[in-house]
Amino acid sequence: MFTGLVVEIGDVIDVMRSHDGVRLTVAATHAQSLSDGDSVAVNGVCLTAVDVGPGSFSADVMNETLARSSLQEARPGTRVNLELPLRATDRLGGHVVQGHVDGIGAIDEVLEDGFSRRVRVRAPADVLRYVVEKGSIAVDGVSLTVAAIDDDSFTVSLIPETLHRTSLGSAQPGAPVNLEVDVLAKYVEKLVK
């Protein structure tokens, strides 16, 4: 389990593709905190670290994950948000993020707003059904609060710290992003039915 608070922006340094999936290698200073078999969120996707070295780790990304996430677009040089899993003694500073992507959205519009930046994200209807104004959503693994919602998109506001610490600071219109809705909304829907 994660909280959507990114610890580092890593750099994809190798992508080995086969019909079985992809082995992704990421350069990251926090690799020193990982051991083989540990979970790590890469752009909001929960992966298992393997071949952990002093400044990098690899992860096998299966075809199912590639089909459901923007990791299908990863290339050497791609910058990715990284988060280590929540420990029982940690504070829950963001919201509960599982690392199970619900869909792929796209950055639709980026507008400066004082010291912050408003980012509009176009999202699939099956994701938007769970999005509410002032609710939580993970965009590329970053825990954010929804500022506005309309028929085909939602808007988030990014503070300077988020712009600096995550890859969303350089996000441009058209960029694909992983979306994970608050899991509580899905449980409520199932129980109400």
Side-chain angles (χ1 to χ4, degrees), residues 90-123:
D90 289 344
R91 292 180 176 165
L92 185 60
H95 74 282
V96 174
V97 177
Q98 297 179 298
H100 304 161
V101 172
D102 292 304
I104 302 172
I107 303 294
D108 195 47
E109 183 179 51
V110 178
L111 299 170
E112 299 300 323
D113 185 17
F115 60 72
S116 67
R117 191 172 298 156
R118 292 178 64 83
V119 178
R120 195 171 112 196
V121 179
R122 190 167 303 279

Side-chain angles (χ1 to χ4, degrees), residues 5-175:
L5 299 181
V6 171
V7 296
E8 176 182 3
I9 300 174
D11 293 299
V12 174
I13 55 175
D14 192 33
V15 179
M16 294 177 48
R17 296 183 187 280
S18 74
H19 67 277
D20 295 324
V22 166
R23 174 155 289 195
L24 198 66
T25 302
V26 179
T29 58
H30 279 80
Q32 66 191 7
S33 301
L34 295 170
S35 298
D36 285 356
D38 284 351
S39 293
V40 59
V42 178
N43 269 5
V45 179
C46 182
L47 299 176
T48 301
V50 295
D51 293 337
V52 176
S56 68
F57 68 91
S58 295
D60 294 319
V61 187
M62 62 184 159
N63 290 325
E64 171 72 9
T65 303
L66 292 170
R68 293 182 177 266
S69 75
S70 66
L71 292 182
Q72 62 187 276
E73 305 285 330
R75 306 280 183 269
T78 300
R79 295 172 52 94
V80 290
N81 294 320
L82 301 175
E83 182 183 359
L84 302 176
L86 181 68
R87 294 177 295 213
T89 58
D90 289 344
R91 292 180 176 165
L92 185 60
H95 74 282
V96 174
V97 177
Q98 297 179 298
H100 304 161
V101 172
D102 292 304
I104 302 172
I107 303 294
D108 195 47
E109 183 179 51
V110 178
L111 299 170
E112 299 300 323
D113 185 17
F115 60 72
S116 67
R117 191 172 298 156
R118 292 178 64 83
V119 178
R120 195 171 112 196
V121 179
R122 190 167 303 279
D126 60 338
V127 170
L128 279 175
R129 69 185 292 164
Y130 300 109
V131 179
V132 296
E133 190 172 323
K134 304 304 179 207
S136 296
I137 190 161
V139 178
D140 270 355
V142 181
S143 176
L144 298 169
T145 301
V146 177
I149 186 167
D150 60 32
D151 291 338
D152 61 357
S153 65
F154 64 89
T155 300
V156 292
S157 289
L158 307 179
I159 61 172
E161 186 71 9
T162 303
L163 294 170
H164 173 72
R165 286 189 174 271
T166 74
S167 63
L168 295 178
S170 60
Q172 296 296 314

